[in-house]
Amino acid sequence: KQWYQRRVRVLYSQLSMWATPVYKRRTVVHRESGDDMVNVNMNISFVKAHCDNIAFKVHDSFTGITADFTNQVSRQSTGSGCRVGVNYNLKRISGEFLFLSTDNKTDMSHVIHDCIFGGTHTFANTKAFHALKGVKLRDIGSSTHDYIVKLLQTDFVDERTFSISSPYQYTFSYRPHVIHNKKDGTRPSIKQHYIRFRYAWSPLLVEYSAQYNSLYSVLTNSIAYCGGLFTTVQVLHRAYLGGSAFIKDNMYKKL
């Protein structure tokens, strides 16, 4: 039974060599296009804020326009807090999206469940593609905070299936927004606070091209493996026969 299981595992590994691609990496300069749009899929919970007190806006640095997309995000009450789901297409130009409070008393404590830029892929499941996942800022009260996100496009190209997926790797840094006093020493009045995500795009692009082993190479490896296996068995069998004969001869001589 064990011998049969080993043969099945070997056969499976050989077939996997043919069916599973090996990705070859190269880095190129990204060619900008005015029509480039990148999807952002984000789930964030505001621990102590009511859903009616959270708005979602996107600011375009190129045009200077800030648009309100609060009605295009999903908001679900979680008792004392609110879970917000964002699924929005960003233009590939520098800008920012932000969650704003409708007053200056809303507690902006939050937990980021996940944040994905671009598409998805089987191999895009590492921390590099989900850097903001699990970030928690609790007990920050009514305050303003900035996240600075640097994005790198990563293409997975498979010519056999004619598919291409473009998730984005990214890194981020965080800083609280410091409010400075006026010249007369008084603290300025803040009408609302926000959690802001400022994003910038890398001029580079990382491309992974899928390469498959040919059926010829798989068969060659299989035959070579079988030949090596049979040779090993023959050597062990001959060693066994020779050892047995040697032991028998010594036993007869003693008698």
Side-chain angles (χ1 to χ4, degrees):
K1 184 178 180 180
Q2 293 180 353
W3 181 89
Y4 174 76
Q5 291 177 346
R6 286 196 295 269
R7 300 290 81 73
V8 171
R9 286 197 294 268
V10 170
L11 178 61
Y12 176 77
S13 65
Q14 294 300 315
L15 292 176
S16 297
M17 288 178 57
W18 179 55
T20 304
V22 176
Y23 284 92
K24 183 179 180 181
R25 170 177 171 163
R26 69 172 186 147
T27 302
V28 297
V29 176
H30 181 271
R31 295 183 178 180
E32 297 289 347
S33 173
D35 298 329
D36 281 354
M37 302 292 288
V38 178
N39 179 262
V40 55
N41 192 323
M42 185 178 194
N43 278 284
I44 181 172
S45 289
F46 291 89
V47 184
K48 301 177 182 179
H50 193 273
C51 288
D52 293 337
N53 295 334
I54 299 295
F56 175 73
K57 295 184 179 182
V58 177
H59 177 74
D60 188 334
S61 298
F62 182 74
T63 61
I65 298 175
T66 301
D68 191 336
F69 293 98
T70 305
N71 294 330
Q72 298 185 25
V73 301
S74 63
R75 293 181 293 176
Q76 181 181 359
S77 177
T78 58
S80 60
C82 179
R83 180 160 181 161
V84 182
V86 176
N87 193 345
Y88 180 76
N89 289 326
L90 301 172
K91 290 183 179 179
R92 195 187 154 92
I93 54 178
S94 297
E96 59 192 43
F97 61 89
L98 53 161
F99 300 91
L100 296 95
S101 62
T102 56
D103 54 39
N104 61 354
K105 298 180 180 179
T106 301
D107 192 324
M108 301 302 287
S109 300
H110 59 277
V111 176
I112 302 176
H113 303 289
D114 203 356
C115 185
I116 302 172
F117 292 90
T120 58
H121 192 271
T122 305
F123 293 97
N125 58 356
T126 61
K127 185 67 175 178
F129 296 90
H130 303 265
L132 283 166
K133 185 176 181 179
V135 173
K136 301 177 182 179
L137 287 182
R138 298 183 182 274
D139 301 323
I140 60 176
S142 183
S143 56
T144 294
H145 298 264
D146 287 330
Y147 291 89
I148 296 90
V149 182
K150 304 291 185 180
L151 296 133
L152 172 64
Q153 182 174 341
T154 308
D155 287 349
F156 291 89
V157 182
D158 192 332
E159 295 182 355
R160 176 183 286 186
T161 59
F162 303 101
S163 64
I164 179 171
S165 180
S166 300
Y168 280 74
Q169 301 181 56
Y170 64 95
T171 59
F172 75 94
S173 58
Y174 156 79
R175 66 186 180 193
H177 187 75
V178 179
I179 301 174
H180 299 281
N181 293 337
K182 296 181 180 180
K183 292 181 179 181
D184 58 4
T186 60
R187 192 173 182 82
S189 176
I190 304 297
K191 295 182 179 179
Q192 57 185 182
H193 294 279
Y194 55 81
I195 303 298
R196 178 170 58 184
F197 296 84
R198 306 178 68 178
Y199 49 88
W201 313 90
S202 170
L204 301 178
L205 181 151
V206 177
E207 182 180 274
Y208 289 92
S209 300
Q211 295 183 343
Y212 292 85
N213 291 307
S214 65
L215 185 60
Y216 171 78
S217 64
V218 173
L219 291 175
T220 303
N221 288 336
S222 301
I223 293 172
Y225 176 83
C226 293
L229 179 64
F230 289 136
T231 301
T232 303
V233 171
Q234 287 179 356
V235 170
L236 293 176
H237 181 64
R238 290 176 180 176
Y240 169 77
L241 294 178
S244 299
F246 177 77
I247 293 173
K248 289 180 179 179
D249 290 342
N250 288 337
M251 291 178 62
Y252 288 138
K253 289 179 180 179
K254 291 180 179 181
L255 293 175

